[in-house]
Amino acid sequence: GHPGTNNAYAVKTSQLYAKIYNDQAVYENSALYQSLSLTDNAELDFSARFSQETKRLLRVTIIELVLSTDMSRHFDIITMVKTKTSSVLSKATLRPSAGVLDSRLSRHASQLQLDSQLNNNAGMDLSDLSAEQLSLIIQFALKVADIGHCMLPLEQHKFWVGNLEKEFFKQGDMEKEAGLPISPLMDRTKPGPTNGGNQVNSVQHLCMMVSLLMMP
């Protein structure tokens, strides 16, 4: 499982996974390898009935999406979404109901085609989007979910940030013990993620950029 430290720590301490994945998206790559390897087991391979083309596309899509959750790529992805899909996202907020949005993996291994009929309130048709735009929109949706605790009721948000702070301080303790510089927000002798000022900074720089892209 995830050790509760970040990729930078894995790289700084020369952990095995960092060496295997050449210091790139260490834990995302590790998670992908372990999860996708489960399909080597015939009893666990949910894609066994898929065509080879569909299986390949599914694998490519999963890898692309998981790698997009690496926070070191956050601003790069937001910039790409803003540049290449903002005109699409600004038209409507997607609220497809069950049976209304019909998506399927396409015939082409390098493309994701989404045939959709959205409800009247959505006012948005994805059928004309390019494969790159579709991929970016799905990455964007996953990123919204990844940092979505900022939109939860305050007590729930505080719960998750509190857990994050515990992980941060634990890593900071490990860095201090190893004689390494303590990473930002991970020094328990200083204000951490639950600090009000730090919360405002995080929301402004991480969440507001995302939410603004969804506003018409």
Side-chain angles (χ1 to χ4, degrees), residues 58-117:
L58 177 63
R59 179 180 173 86
V60 167
T61 302
I62 290 173
I63 291 173
E64 191 172 57
L65 291 177
V66 173
L67 290 180
S68 74
T69 64
D70 181 355
M71 286 303 292
S72 69
R73 297 184 58 205
H74 178 80
F75 295 106
D76 291 338
I77 291 174
I78 293 301
T79 298
M80 287 192 292
V81 170
K82 182 177 180 180
T83 302
K84 299 183 178 182
T85 70
S86 58
S87 62
V88 178
L89 289 173
S90 64
K91 291 180 181 178
T93 300
L94 290 178
R95 295 188 300 276
S97 57
V100 175
L101 180 61
D102 174 29
S103 63
R104 63 174 181 269
L105 293 172
S106 76
R107 62 185 181 282
H108 202 286
S110 63
Q111 295 182 339
L112 181 63
Q113 299 296 334
L114 188 60
D115 293 333
S116 62
Q117 181 183 3

Side-chain angles (χ1 to χ4, degrees), residues 17 23-24 42 51 55 66 71 77-79 105 122 139 144 172 181 196:
Y17 283 136
D23 299 344
Q24 304 299 307
S51 68
K55 290 177 70 172
V66 173
M71 286 303 292
I77 291 174
I78 293 301
T79 298
L105 293 172
Q139 290 179 51
V144 170

Side-chain angles (χ1 to χ4, degrees), residues 1-214:
H2 198 288
T5 54
N6 61 19
N7 289 333
Y9 181 82
V11 173
K12 287 191 295 186
T13 55
S14 299
Q15 293 184 11
L16 178 60
Y17 283 136
K19 296 177 181 178
I20 291 174
Y21 300 114
N22 299 313
D23 299 344
Q24 304 299 307
V26 177
Y27 291 129
E28 289 79 13
N29 274 308
S30 173
L32 281 165
Y33 169 73
Q34 293 180 58
S35 57
L36 292 175
S37 293
L38 293 174
T39 60
D40 292 338
N41 183 332
E43 294 183 357
L44 301 176
D45 186 10
F46 63 90
S47 63
R49 297 182 180 181
F50 296 172
S51 68
Q52 288 300 312
E53 193 85 352
T54 298
K55 290 177 70 172
R56 181 184 173 192
L57 176 58
L58 177 63
R59 179 180 173 86
V60 167
T61 302
I62 290 173
I63 291 173
E64 191 172 57
L65 291 177
V66 173
L67 290 180
S68 74
T69 64
D70 181 355
M71 286 303 292
S72 69
R73 297 184 58 205
H74 178 80
F75 295 106
D76 291 338
I77 291 174
I78 293 301
T79 298
M80 287 192 292
V81 170
K82 182 177 180 180
T83 302
K84 299 183 178 182
T85 70
S86 58
S87 62
V88 178
L89 289 173
S90 64
K91 291 180 181 178
T93 300
L94 290 178
R95 295 188 300 276
S97 57
V100 175
L101 180 61
D102 174 29
S103 63
R104 63 174 181 269
L105 293 172
S106 76
R107 62 185 181 282
H108 202 286
S110 63
Q111 295 182 339
L112 181 63
Q113 299 296 334
L114 188 60
D115 293 333
S116 62
Q117 181 183 3
L118 301 177
N119 58 39
N120 293 331
N121 292 328
M124 180 179 175
D125 186 359
L126 302 182
S127 61
D128 293 330
L129 297 181
S130 68
E132 182 183 25
Q133 286 177 313
L134 284 169
S135 176
L136 284 170
I137 287 175
I138 298 172
Q139 290 179 51
F140 180 73
L142 187 59
K143 184 161 290 295
V144 170
D146 201 22
I147 59 176
H149 60 82
C150 295
M151 301 297 182
L152 290 174
L154 181 59
E155 290 306 313
Q156 294 181 45
H157 171 65
K158 289 168 63 177
F159 170 80
W160 289 112
V161 175
N163 285 332
L164 175 67
E165 185 171 77
K166 291 176 184 177
E167 282 194 356
F168 273 25
F169 285 165
K170 180 180 178 181
Q171 177 174 320
D173 293 343
M174 294 165 65
E175 290 172 334
K176 182 177 181 180
E177 185 176 349
L180 298 170
I182 300 178
S183 299
L185 301 179
M186 297 188 181
D187 188 340
R188 66 172 65 251
T189 66
K190 300 178 181 179
T194 59
N195 172 266
N198 289 334
Q199 274 293 292
V200 170
N201 185 60
S202 296
V203 170
Q204 286 180 336
H205 288 84
L206 296 179
C207 303
M208 288 301 293
M209 289 182 65
V210 171
S211 62
L212 287 174
L213 285 177
M214 296 188 292

